Amino acid sequence: MVKNKKPLTQSMLKCYNWCPKKYYYEYIMNIVLARLYSPFLIGEGIHIGILYLLIKKKKYKKAIRLAKKIMNYRKDEYEKNRVTSVYEDQEFIYQSICAESIIANYYKYHKNFIKKIKIISSEKIIQTNIDLPGNFILTAKVDGIIKFDEKKYVYELKTVKSASHSYIMSNYFQFLHYYFVTKKEKKNIKGIYIDGIKKPSIKLKQNESEEDFMSRLSEIYKSSDNYYHDIIRPPRKHVKQYYNNMMKTAYRITESTKTNFFECKRDMCRIYGDCAYLLLCDKGVNPMTLMKYREKTTTNEELEVL
């Protein structure tokens, strides 16, 4: 990374546009809720496992072990200062089983794709030093740069609630951000290759064995409805719109930072359940309310997870 400059990521841009006050808590105070966030753990585990599988091609069992290892490492990292509840421990076990099944079935039903794709680089932080307001450098953390059908693409692996086109494209701003940053530095990039995997909606039943649960998951992942593959080639018009919107947001962030004023958009607090920082907005920032939060770690959640 460029010294003395702060990365400006798509998550930061989205967060500020959603609610400037949320941006303040997350990126100025640098705090998140002090709880185990199991969906983040399974997402990171699957990302590591699938990327390893795409690089090594046939070693899916090692990919599963690697995914579980990273999930356990993150959980242990969290538990150094916080004690998880019984519910969180059970949820982690469920997420770990799901990660294993997803990777095993991905290998089973995507052998041709795995053989065809070539990972040029994985888990790559890309920065482009264009003129921005404030002390920012435009930054993207992409899952990889790949070669597919003799063309180079940004590779984006997503674990999603729905593998439908409409749901995947709700992340279009993120795709534009990755494309813009990468294209500035690597002129031969042709677009974004989206590899979407639906997270299972079923739960481990009471008294159900892990083996039986894995069998049920395996049946689910036989269906192509749980996967999404597409190549997005953003038109110039959309890239230009992204650039203009990004510059406006970067300017607003800079002005808020200078004046130390970050508006709280109250109408956004409960759109998708309670905002993680609702307590701070309602009760204020004090030693009691801050007990519910922790400093961000240096994992993906700090850079790219909104």
Side-chain angles (χ1 to χ4, degrees):
M1 291 189 183
V2 177
K3 290 183 179 180
N4 302 321
K5 286 204 171 187
K6 183 177 177 66
L8 182 63
T9 69
Q10 64 88 20
S11 292
M12 295 169 71
L13 293 163
K14 282 173 63 180
C15 185
Y16 186 90
N17 285 329
W18 184 264
C19 177
K21 198 68 174 179
K22 181 180 180 185
Y23 175 93
Y24 171 77
Y25 292 133
E26 189 165 351
Y27 294 103
I28 303 297
M29 289 187 67
N30 200 43
I31 57 175
V32 291
L33 275 174
R35 60 176 171 80
L36 178 65
Y37 186 53
S38 56
F40 169 74
L41 290 176
I42 188 175
E44 186 173 17
I46 290 170
H47 270 71
I48 296 294
I50 296 293
L51 283 170
Y52 181 86
L53 183 61
L54 294 177
I55 293 168
K56 298 297 183 180
K57 305 299 183 183
K58 294 183 178 180
K59 300 181 179 180
Y60 81 93
K61 290 184 178 179
K62 190 168 183 179
I64 289 170
R65 290 197 297 271
L66 187 61
K68 287 187 171 183
K69 184 176 180 179
I70 193 68
M71 290 174 70
N72 277 297
Y73 175 79
R74 295 301 184 209
K75 183 172 181 283
D76 292 344
E77 189 178 59
Y78 171 84
E79 289 176 335
K80 285 178 183 177
N81 299 310
R82 304 284 178 180
V83 178
T84 59
S85 67
V86 172
Y87 167 77
E88 287 172 331
D89 285 335
Q90 291 173 336
E91 183 70 10
F92 177 78
I93 293 170
Y94 157 72
Q95 297 286 355
S96 183
I97 297 170
C98 287
E100 179 177 351
S101 181
I102 287 170
I103 294 169
N105 286 286
Y106 185 95
Y107 173 76
K108 186 175 181 179
Y109 298 114
H110 290 77
K111 287 183 179 178
N112 288 336
F113 173 71
I114 293 168
K115 185 178 179 180
K116 199 173 182 181
I117 191 175
K118 180 181 179 182
I119 302 287
I120 297 172
S121 60
S122 62
E123 291 284 333
K124 190 174 183 66
I125 294 176
I126 301 172
Q127 297 182 317
T128 182
N129 202 16
I130 62 172
D131 289 332
L132 289 176
N135 191 35
F136 286 117
I137 182 165
L138 203 60
T139 302
K141 184 172 183 181
V142 301
D143 290 327
I145 305 295
I146 67 167
K147 195 171 186 179
F148 185 76
D149 286 343
E150 300 305 315
K151 293 182 177 128
K152 291 182 181 179
Y153 299 97
V154 175
Y155 175 69
E156 175 62 11
L157 175 64
K158 297 198 76 66
T159 50
V160 293
K161 293 179 182 177
S162 169
S164 66
H165 177 76
S166 59
Y167 187 88
I168 295 289
M169 291 306 290
S170 67
N171 297 281
Y172 191 50
F173 177 83
Q174 178 185 357
F175 303 151
L176 284 171
H177 179 87
Y178 289 175
Y179 180 75
F180 179 86
V181 174
T182 310
K183 187 75 171 173
K184 280 287 181 183
E185 298 304 305
K186 300 179 181 295
K187 305 296 184 184
N188 58 350
I189 292 294
K190 301 302 181 184
I192 312 283
Y193 191 103
I194 309 298
D195 188 359
I197 305 172
K198 182 181 177 182
K199 289 184 283 190
S201 57
I202 66 172
K203 295 285 185 179
L204 185 66
K205 294 178 181 178
Q206 190 173 9
N207 299 324
E208 182 180 32
S209 69
E210 290 186 16
E211 184 179 350
D212 288 340
F213 182 57
M214 287 279 284
S215 178
R216 284 203 295 138
L217 283 172
S218 182
E219 287 299 312
I220 289 173
Y221 282 100
K222 284 181 181 178
S223 170
S224 60
D225 293 341
N226 292 295
Y227 304 103
Y228 181 94
H229 288 267
D230 196 13
I231 295 173
I232 299 173
R233 299 177 178 89
R236 289 184 181 180
K237 178 182 176 181
H238 291 181
V239 176
K240 186 176 180 180
Q241 288 174 345
Y242 156 81
Y243 173 79
N244 291 335
N245 291 333
M246 179 272 295
M247 291 295 286
K248 288 176 184 177
T249 303
Y251 174 78
R252 289 165 56 211
I253 292 173
T254 302
E255 289 301 301
S256 289
T257 304
K258 285 179 181 177
T259 60
N260 199 31
F261 176 72
F262 295 84
E263 177 192 4
C264 177
K265 292 185 179 179
R266 280 292 181 175
D267 57 330
M268 308 300 283
C269 292
R270 289 188 169 92
I271 287 186
Y272 297 113
D274 287 353
C275 170
Y277 302 100
L278 187 60
L279 176 66
L280 299 179
C281 288
D282 285 347
K283 304 293 184 182
V285 178
N286 57 63
M288 290 297 292
T289 54
L290 286 176
M291 289 179 67
K292 299 288 185 180
Y293 298 85
R294 61 177 171 85
E295 186 178 355
K296 278 182 165 184
T297 65
T298 54
T299 63
N300 289 356
E301 70 176 327
E302 181 175 10
L303 187 63
E304 283 295 312
V305 176
L306 177 61

